[in-house]
Amino acid sequence: MRIIVGVSGATGVVMSLYLLKALKSFKDCEVHLVVSDCARKTWELETNYPFEKLVEQADYYYDVHNLAAAISSGSYQTDGMIILPCSMKTLSGVVNGFTDNLLIRAADVCMKENRKVILCTREMPLGKVHLRNMMAAADLGCTIIPPMLTFYNGPNTLDDQINHVVGKILMQFGLDYKNFVPWHGAD
């Protein structure tokens, strides 16, 4: 399996580290990473980790301005793309085909090739423009997975919440994440 991970500048960039670590745990999963300029800044503001900790989890890392990268072409086979977190600016770029950087271009390629595109939109409250763009993305075939809190699985930590989101994302690719606690029903 070959998956592209895009990280945009919305809050919650540390979730991308959890996602990359999870993907790395799957033996036959090749990860291609592209990070926006704003995401790098948000990384510095929100985490105590060096940026290299994120990059080292990927098999391939691309500069967001390199529109000649392999993932910018539909002839380069992938299974799809995950953008976590997905800022409202990136969402708008994806919906409108405004491919001014590699992150949005890679999503555009996946959409035109009918590959999975998972957008983990991050904002609240959601305005009408955000909702309209999410609906447009869904209409274009994207799956919207906002990183929302969950309680049915008995989370005790922020790690538990993030692992739930990562598990929901990976389910879209048929991957069972060991740190995901699904609902088992009630008596």
XYZ file of all heavy atoms in Angstrom, residues 1-5 19-34 52-62 71 76:
290
model
N 0.846 -1.171 0.000
C 0.000 0.000 0.000
C 0.893 1.236 0.000
O 1.910 1.274 0.681
C -0.913 -0.025 1.226
C -1.879 1.127 1.271
S -3.177 0.927 2.513
C -4.163 -0.321 1.741
N 0.493 2.243 -0.755
C 1.242 3.498 -0.858
C 0.271 4.637 -0.548
O -0.686 4.859 -1.285
C 1.803 3.628 -2.261
C 2.680 4.835 -2.477
C 3.172 4.904 -3.909
N 4.248 3.956 -4.135
C 4.652 3.565 -5.350
N 4.055 4.020 -6.432
N 5.646 2.729 -5.480
N 0.532 5.357 0.554
C -0.364 6.419 1.005
C 0.389 7.738 1.115
O 1.497 7.791 1.649
C -1.001 6.051 2.365
C -1.853 4.781 2.222
C -1.838 7.213 2.911
C -2.454 4.285 3.517
N -0.256 8.788 0.645
C 0.278 10.144 0.790
C -0.334 10.748 2.046
O -1.544 10.653 2.258
C -0.087 11.023 -0.425
C 0.409 10.397 -1.729
C 0.463 12.441 -0.245
C -0.204 11.016 -2.976
N 0.484 11.375 2.860
C -0.006 12.106 4.025
C 0.363 13.567 3.841
O 1.532 13.899 3.641
C 0.588 11.570 5.343
C 0.172 12.446 6.524
C 0.163 10.124 5.577
N -0.487 9.498 13.262
C -0.878 8.829 12.026
C 0.327 8.190 11.349
O 0.276 7.024 10.937
C -1.556 9.814 11.066
C -1.904 9.274 9.686
C -2.929 8.150 9.766
C -2.400 10.400 8.790
N 1.415 8.938 11.239
C 2.595 8.396 10.572
C 3.175 7.210 11.326
O 3.594 6.218 10.712
C 3.653 9.488 10.401
C 3.316 10.538 9.339
C 4.313 11.677 9.377
C 3.266 9.924 7.964
N 3.192 7.286 12.655
C 3.676 6.152 13.453
C 2.781 4.929 13.233
O 3.273 3.801 13.128
C 3.725 6.511 14.933
C 4.890 7.406 15.298
C 4.878 7.687 16.791
C 6.087 8.493 17.201
N 6.099 8.742 18.665
N 1.487 5.156 13.168
C 0.552 4.053 12.933
C 0.794 3.436 11.559
O 0.865 2.208 11.427
C -0.887 4.536 13.056
N 0.927 4.263 10.535
C 1.164 3.748 9.184
C 2.481 2.978 9.113
O 2.582 1.961 8.426
C 1.154 4.891 8.167
C -0.218 5.495 7.872
C -0.080 6.785 7.085
C -1.102 4.492 7.138
N 3.484 3.464 9.821
C 4.789 2.805 9.833
C 4.705 1.405 10.447
O 5.510 0.536 10.137
C 5.797 3.671 10.593
C 7.227 3.272 10.388
C 8.163 4.296 11.025
C 9.592 3.983 10.637
N 10.501 5.033 11.058
N 3.725 1.186 11.305
C 3.582 -0.118 11.961
C 3.058 -1.194 11.006
O 3.128 -2.374 11.317
C 2.663 -0.011 13.185
O 1.309 0.135 12.798
N 2.553 -0.785 9.846
C 2.076 -1.745 8.850
C 3.227 -2.059 7.893
O 3.735 -1.171 7.209
C 0.863 -1.202 8.100
C -0.337 -1.024 8.976
C -0.636 0.222 9.519
C -1.156 -2.103 9.278
C -1.738 0.386 10.340
C -2.261 -1.939 10.103
C -2.551 -0.693 10.641
N 3.608 -3.303 7.856
C 4.797 -3.758 7.137
C 4.835 -3.318 5.671
O 5.859 -2.884 5.175
C 4.889 -5.279 7.242
C 6.059 -5.891 6.553
C 6.042 -7.396 6.693
C 7.029 -8.012 5.741
N 6.843 -9.438 5.605
N 3.740 -3.443 4.984
C 3.716 -3.172 3.548
C 3.099 -1.829 3.193
O 2.471 -1.694 2.147
C 2.962 -4.292 2.830
C 3.673 -5.630 2.964
O 4.914 -5.631 2.952
O 2.984 -6.659 3.097
N 3.296 -0.839 4.047
C 2.727 0.491 3.806
C 3.854 1.495 3.570
O 4.693 1.712 4.440
C 1.867 0.915 4.991
S 0.969 2.441 4.682
N 3.848 2.087 2.400
C 4.833 3.097 2.024
C 4.181 4.465 2.191
O 3.102 4.707 1.642
C 5.242 2.863 0.573
C 6.294 3.789 0.047
C 6.613 3.455 -1.404
O 7.302 2.437 -1.657
O 6.142 4.208 -2.290
N 4.839 5.355 2.948
C 4.252 6.655 3.270
C 5.030 7.783 2.594
O 6.254 7.869 2.710
C 4.225 6.882 4.792
C 3.647 8.242 5.115
C 3.422 5.780 5.472
N 4.271 8.638 1.902
C 4.820 9.819 1.235
C 4.267 11.042 1.961
O 3.049 11.213 2.042
C 4.402 9.834 -0.235
C 4.990 8.699 -1.008
N 6.028 8.871 -1.882
C 4.705 7.367 -1.008
C 6.353 7.703 -2.402
N 5.557 6.768 -1.879
N 5.145 11.887 2.464
C 4.757 13.010 3.318
C 5.033 14.343 2.641
O 6.106 14.559 2.067
C 5.545 12.937 4.640
C 5.367 14.077 5.632
C 3.942 14.125 6.170
C 6.373 13.921 6.778
N 4.046 15.239 2.746
C 4.217 16.625 2.305
C 3.593 17.518 3.369
O 2.492 17.254 3.847
C 3.615 16.865 0.892
C 2.135 16.566 0.853
C 3.901 18.274 0.417
N 12.030 17.079 12.529
C 12.626 15.872 11.955
C 11.973 14.597 12.496
O 11.965 13.573 11.824
C 14.139 15.828 12.220
C 14.923 16.909 11.493
C 14.702 18.314 12.078
O 14.465 18.444 13.293
O 14.754 19.271 11.282
N 11.421 14.668 13.696
C 10.730 13.496 14.272
C 9.541 13.101 13.405
O 9.253 11.913 13.236
C 10.291 13.783 15.700
C 9.652 12.581 16.394
C 9.535 12.811 17.876
C 8.919 11.653 18.608
N 9.736 10.456 18.648
N 8.862 14.099 12.849
C 7.746 13.827 11.943
C 8.259 13.245 10.630
O 7.790 12.208 10.176
C 6.948 15.109 11.684
C 5.757 14.983 10.744
C 4.663 14.124 11.369
C 5.221 16.358 10.372
N 9.239 13.915 10.053
C 9.760 13.526 8.741
C 10.346 12.114 8.758
O 10.147 11.340 7.810
C 10.813 14.552 8.255
C 11.489 14.082 6.975
C 10.157 15.917 8.044
N 11.012 11.747 9.832
C 11.656 10.426 9.878
C 10.668 9.267 9.912
O 11.045 8.122 9.675
C 12.624 10.334 11.061
C 11.971 10.271 12.414
C 12.953 10.406 13.574
O 14.080 10.871 13.374
O 12.557 10.040 14.701
N 9.405 9.550 10.157
C 8.385 8.498 10.151
C 7.948 8.129 8.735
O 7.324 7.088 8.528
C 7.153 8.933 10.956
C 7.420 9.283 12.401
C 8.002 8.126 13.186
O 7.546 6.997 13.097
N 9.034 8.409 13.964
N 8.252 8.983 7.774
C 7.823 8.752 6.388
C 8.921 8.062 5.589
O 10.105 8.190 5.891
C 7.460 10.084 5.730
N 8.504 7.356 4.562
C 9.470 6.748 3.642
C 10.010 7.783 2.667
O 11.165 7.706 2.254
C 8.810 5.600 2.872
C 8.371 4.482 3.799
O 9.254 3.845 4.414
O 7.147 4.267 3.933
N 9.152 8.734 2.297
C 9.538 9.799 1.369
C 8.977 11.118 1.886
O 7.827 11.165 2.329
C 8.988 9.534 -0.042
C 9.538 8.268 -0.637
C 8.863 7.063 -0.482
C 10.738 8.274 -1.347
C 9.375 5.885 -1.006
C 11.252 7.103 -1.880
C 10.563 5.910 -1.702
O 11.064 4.750 -2.220
N 9.768 12.155 1.787
C 9.338 13.493 2.205
C 9.582 14.456 1.055
O 10.657 14.463 0.455
C 10.110 13.944 3.451
C 9.855 15.371 3.832
C 8.599 15.772 4.298
C 10.843 16.336 3.702
C 8.347 17.086 4.623
C 10.600 17.667 4.036
C 9.350 18.030 4.499
O 9.096 19.334 4.815
N 8.560 15.269 0.748
C 8.639 16.206 -0.367
C 8.461 17.643 0.119
O 7.616 17.908 0.977
C 7.530 15.926 -1.395
C 7.542 14.522 -1.920
C 6.712 13.559 -1.366
C 8.369 14.157 -2.974
C 6.712 12.258 -1.847
C 8.369 12.863 -3.463
C 7.540 11.916 -2.892
O 7.534 10.631 -3.366
N 4.533 12.407 -6.557
C 3.115 12.399 -6.168
C 2.283 13.478 -6.857
O 1.075 13.536 -6.674
C 2.951 12.496 -4.635
C 3.567 13.782 -4.091
C 3.529 11.257 -3.958
C 3.288 14.040 -2.612
N 1.885 8.142 -11.184
C 2.538 7.569 -10.007
C 1.441 6.957 -9.142
O 0.623 7.671 -8.562
C 3.318 8.645 -9.239
C 4.178 8.075 -8.141
C 5.370 7.432 -8.446
C 3.794 8.159 -6.810
C 6.159 6.888 -7.445
C 4.579 7.617 -5.806
C 5.763 6.989 -6.134
O 6.537 6.450 -5.138
